[in-house]
Amino acid sequence: MKAWLAILARDLRLARRVGAGAELGLVFFLILVSLLPFAIGADQRFISRIAPAFLWLSALLATLLGLDRLLQADEEEGVLDQFLLAGAPLEWLLLAKALAHWLVTGLPLSLVAPLLGLMLAIEPQAMIPLALSLLVGTPALTLIGLIGAALTVSLKRGGLLLSVLVLPLTVPTLIFGATLVKEAALGRAFTTPLMLLGGMTLLMLVIAPVSAAAALRHARQ
Amino acid sequence: MNESRPTSWLQLANPAVFNRWADRLLWPLVIATTGLFAYGLYGTFFVSPADYQQGDTVRIMYIHVPAAWLALFVYAGMVLSALGTLVFRHPMADVAQKAAAPLGAAFTLVCLITGSIWGKPTWGTWWQWDARMTSVLVLLLIYLGIMALWRAVDDPLRAARAVAILTLVGAVNLPIIKFSVDWWYTLHQPASVFRLDGPTIHPSMLKPLMIMALGYLTLYLSLLLVRMKTELTLRRIDRLQRLAAEIPGERA
Amino acid sequence: MAPLSTLGTVNAPALAIRGLAMTRGYRTLFRDLDLDLAPGQVLQLTGPNGTGKSTLIRLVAGFLRPDAGSIRWSPLPEELSPGEWLHYSGHHEGLRDGLTAHDNVCTLASLLGGDPSRAEAALAEVGAGPLAELPVEVLSAGQRRRVALARLLAAPRPVWLLDEPFTALDRDGQALVRRLIAAHAEAGGIVIAATHQPLDLPEMRHLALGGPAA
């Protein structure tokens, strides 16, 4: 537990110092949202209709930011070797890194999303469900990204490849998340998509650390 | 604690043994492929009846449906190879994985293209976000990711292991993706869609379909063997080049 | 306060390597390698570049799996997980740019089961006390190396695997490494060091890789 907390604290501190922290991801999110009307016109009703989908897509892209360096920087400087010698399993330590990443990307994003939803004229009754869907769903995105980060850990230009590997796997999360907000905007019950979204996150909580750790162990063989 | 693996696996993996078997199997497979395709295509175009709704366009089914089956079959084979790579560290499993990926992608692409051609007369549009087509599209994306990862990692051993993990992660995700896309489709079903495949299929259509599927299978197996032999040769060349670079006395 | 490097005795397990074989990139680095190390022993690894010194160290660290043979440590306390009795110091120091020397050593100490509050003393002992609050990316290669060495003291572990420990160090630094190795062996620890610099220890084992005999 001590090792786990040390990694979590270190990554949060790094995020703050290196400047790849919460602010930048949020600015990116804001830019994406403000680009939308330029692309499709200022028709408020149309914007309102595609807003849930677009917010979820933007969140997906914002989560990808920084994933390529999530493990690579540690690998290059030999820190992952030290992870392997720690008393705690590598899978467990990787969860700390994923949590740190989510705390500076997914979490602030989820909290700010209703504000941006306001700009995109989203239905008022969908505001809370929007934040809720992102809170429950973005951890799955970060965890899927963790797998991609582990697979591309030794590649010089792994960023693009990582997106290519990761994005198809995010299809279910995107479907459940965007549908949840859409259903809420129509005033319908959204329990089913919420359960499915939570299920995705729980499943990835198991699959991602295991496969990422396997990838890292095999990468040094 | 480090334990070694029994070396008997290495003998099973002997490329010379594999090549002998591959050479023995290749020609019968090629002949079978030719025969099955000739018979199957004859059945497709001359024997099988036209559909009373779709007319002759239904004949594209004999190309389209086996391609979809193979797209999944190849992935299943890659999952087995991935286990061979990770659990047994079997070098031939690496080679089989690598040889299979582009073939699987090709079958997936054939499935999508023929589906699109079939869609034009039946749906009136080249592409419909139909649940099946969309799932197959995501499958193609996963195949492309696997191929990209093969290409990105230089060392063949490392590449094989990374790809094996990706293949397994993909295998876990594919049913979920399939489920989520079906679920999404039922929520957003477009107004009028012609179902590509009725649940019942007339026996006069079933026979050519099965023959075409067998033809696809033997085609896949022949191409797989050729690609595996090529890959083995490439690795041999690579090994010889590296050994040549290390002749004693020439080492820096 | 007593220097950390001489604190107490170390309970090291004995190392037994049997029939070790390893291939890298189609080339056999070594085969049928046998090696025994008892607590308190220091092994110096030498050999031309590319003969497998780093590979052997990474094998012993458990990062790599051998093609054949076994690496055993005994006796081991059962509650330890793999690698928990080892320190590995390789070409990359395991320091993360963007953090201070002190933060880095603290993190490594917590990660490796040591005491983060010893980071300061450990840094002072390796002559990096004044550097503690500097971000590691502004340090010179030799200074970074010293900071990296501090974790050996902040998280005491019985077995040290050192790959080229003298790299980038000045004469003082090299003397420091020799002193640390000697003190660790004296206390009953095991050290395996890959280096061509003389270690100048009274009791030392030696293994040359890549020779015609190997």
Side-chain angles (χ1 to χ4, degrees):
Chain A
M1 200 64 202
K2 203 170 82 177
W4 196 81
L5 288 174
I7 296 302
L8 181 65
R10 183 200 70 145
D11 271 29
L12 290 177
R13 194 177 302 154
L14 267 173
R16 215 174 57 227
R17 295 237 177 117
V18 182
E23 320 85 61
L24 210 54
L26 285 180
V27 172
F28 180 75
F29 196 40
L30 177 65
I31 291 176
L32 281 177
V33 167
S34 46
L35 285 177
L36 177 72
F38 298 130
I40 65 161
D43 178 357
Q44 199 75 302
R45 295 236 314 276
F46 185 48
I47 290 182
S48 160
R49 252 184 65 206
I50 66 165
F54 186 76
L55 284 169
W56 252 91
L57 265 180
S58 307
L60 180 58
L61 294 178
T63 310
L64 283 181
L65 287 182
L67 270 180
D68 57 326
R69 295 298 291 168
L70 179 65
L71 298 172
Q72 203 169 43
D74 278 337
E75 173 73 349
E76 280 165 7
E77 303 186 28
V79 186
L80 287 186
D81 285 343
Q82 304 301 321
F83 276 38
L84 288 171
L85 298 180
L90 182 58
E91 289 81 356
W92 177 234
L93 296 175
L94 289 179
L95 266 183
K97 286 195 68 80
L99 177 60
H101 182 264
W102 181 75
L103 285 176
V104 297
T105 54
L107 178 64
L109 222 97
S110 313
L111 299 179
V112 167
L115 276 178
L116 299 185
L118 216 57
M119 289 167 65
L120 294 181
I122 218 170
E123 298 292 329
Q125 73 262 29
M127 292 294 179
I128 303 292
L130 171 66
L132 185 67
S133 74
L134 287 169
L135 269 179
V136 176
T138 45
L141 300 180
T142 293
L143 288 164
I144 296 172
L146 179 72
I147 305 176
L151 287 172
T152 55
V153 72
S154 57
L155 303 177
K156 282 281 174 291
R157 292 173 191 279
L160 184 58
L161 178 64
L162 186 142
S163 309
V164 168
L165 300 184
V166 160
L167 285 175
L169 302 180
T170 61
V171 166
T173 315
L174 179 66
I175 288 178
F176 300 144
T179 306
L180 190 161
V181 186
K182 229 174 285 174
E183 297 287 290
L186 293 171
R188 298 197 205 133
F190 50 82
T191 340
T192 311
L194 183 63
M195 300 295 246
L196 291 171
L197 204 55
M200 256 339 265
T201 294
L202 287 180
L203 182 72
M204 284 306 152
L205 214 49
V206 178
I207 294 178
V210 172
S211 32
L216 290 178
R217 290 205 182 95
H218 284 299
R220 58 203 57 232
Q221 180 70 37
Chain B
M1 202 72 29
N2 294 302
E3 286 293 345
S4 65
R5 295 249 145 219
T7 47
S8 59
W9 283 107
L10 293 172
Q11 276 153 9
L12 262 173
N14 187 338
V17 176
F18 171 79
N19 268 327
R20 223 174 26 246
W21 277 99
D23 289 339
R24 240 179 253 167
L25 283 172
L26 190 55
W27 277 110
L29 276 172
V30 169
I31 292 165
T33 308
T34 320
L36 285 165
F37 264 95
Y39 187 44
L41 287 173
Y42 173 76
T44 301
F45 286 110
F46 301 107
V47 181
S48 111
D51 188 80
Y52 80 101
Q53 273 181 314
Q54 300 185 34
D56 279 332
T57 45
V58 77
R59 298 184 196 282
I60 208 167
M61 175 186 76
Y62 302 106
I63 314 285
H64 172 80
V65 171
W69 288 346
L70 258 285
L72 283 173
F73 179 82
V74 174
Y75 201 93
M78 281 166 56
V79 169
L80 289 183
S81 305
L83 290 174
T85 293
L86 291 178
V87 180
F88 302 111
R89 312 213 157 203
H90 199 302
M92 285 314 291
D94 303 5
V95 175
Q97 256 195 105
K98 185 167 187 184
L103 295 175
F107 285 120
T108 315
L109 195 62
V110 167
C111 173
L112 283 175
I113 291 174
T114 53
S116 175
I117 297 174
W118 195 2
K120 182 64 182 164
T122 43
W123 291 330
T125 162
W126 291 108
W127 185 263
Q128 182 89 41
W129 289 98
D130 153 80
R132 275 167 193 263
M133 292 285 272
T134 311
S135 303
V136 174
L137 180 64
V138 178
L139 178 63
L140 178 68
L141 296 179
I142 291 178
Y143 268 123
L144 293 179
I146 287 173
M147 285 163 66
L149 189 59
W150 267 119
R151 218 172 266 196
V153 186
D154 290 330
D155 181 63
L157 271 179
R158 271 184 207 184
R161 287 171 192 153
V163 169
I165 290 166
L166 179 62
T167 307
L168 293 181
V169 170
V172 175
N173 275 272
L174 275 173
I176 305 171
I177 292 172
K178 175 80 179 114
F179 164 77
S180 68
V181 170
D182 284 348
W183 185 76
W184 160 84
Y185 186 69
T186 54
L187 285 179
H188 305 264
Q189 200 153 18
S192 72
V193 170
F194 201 97
R195 295 275 306 172
L196 275 183
D197 45 334
T200 55
I201 188 167
H202 196 267
S204 63
M205 292 174 146
L206 193 61
K207 191 178 155 202
L209 183 64
M210 285 303 154
I211 288 174
M212 284 301 284
L214 269 181
Y216 265 83
L217 183 64
T218 50
L219 172 68
Y220 165 63
L221 292 176
S222 351
L223 290 175
L224 182 69
L225 284 183
V226 172
R227 283 187 55 86
M228 284 175 74
K229 278 166 64 81
T230 311
E231 177 65 21
L232 282 174
T233 311
L234 284 175
R235 288 192 182 191
R236 195 173 141 79
I237 292 171
D238 182 47
R239 187 174 63 231
L240 291 176
Q241 276 174 341
R242 288 196 201 200
L243 286 177
E246 287 172 5
I247 293 171
E250 289 186 9
R251 191 157 52 207
Chain C
M1 190 167 93
L4 293 176
S5 54
T6 56
L7 275 181
T9 55
V10 183
N11 226 338
L15 169 68
I17 296 180
R18 292 288 173 272
L20 200 67
M22 192 63 180
T23 322
R24 297 300 265 174
Y26 307 120
R27 202 157 52 97
T28 303
L29 292 174
F30 38 78
R31 70 162 63 109
D32 298 330
L33 182 78
D34 292 339
L35 179 68
D36 286 282
L37 278 181
Q41 284 189 316
V42 177
L43 174 77
Q44 181 172 19
L45 277 179
T46 55
N49 300 131
T51 49
K53 298 190 295 293
S54 296
T55 304
L56 180 57
I57 286 196
R58 292 181 71 81
L59 276 166
V60 175
F63 299 158
L64 305 178
R65 254 182 23 173
D67 293 341
S70 65
I71 298 170
R72 287 181 192 285
W73 299 92
S74 58
L76 272 184
E78 289 205 352
E79 68 272 15
L80 288 187
S81 47
E84 222 185 319
W85 55 93
L86 297 168
H87 262 304
Y88 168 82
S89 164
H91 300 286
H92 303 289
E93 290 99 344
L95 305 178
R96 186 64 196 267
D97 286 356
L99 296 179
T100 64
H102 183 258
D103 285 348
N104 262 303
V105 176
C106 277
T107 308
L108 285 171
S110 314
L111 185 66
L112 299 170
D115 183 357
S117 64
R118 288 169 69 166
E120 207 168 325
L123 277 167
E125 177 130 359
V126 296
L131 310 173
E133 292 312 318
L134 291 178
V136 289
E137 66 265 27
V138 306
L139 302 184
S140 76
Q143 288 171 324
R144 283 180 75 111
R145 190 50 56 178
R146 282 172 186 257
V147 173
L149 285 172
R151 73 162 174 274
L152 301 182
L153 305 178
R157 289 186 163 194
V159 179
W160 290 3
L161 306 173
L162 311 175
D163 196 358
E164 303 287 359
F166 294 113
T167 310
L169 285 175
D170 55 19
R171 192 173 302 177
D172 264 10
Q174 300 189 357
L176 168 78
V177 172
R178 285 197 186 91
R179 219 165 50 235
L180 291 179
I181 293 177
H184 187 63
E186 188 120 332
I190 285 183
V191 182
I192 300 180
T195 178
H196 287 112
Q197 305 262 6
L199 283 174
D200 300 331
L201 290 172
E203 290 219 21
M204 214 183 56
R205 304 271 305 277
H206 195 266
L207 177 65
L209 290 174

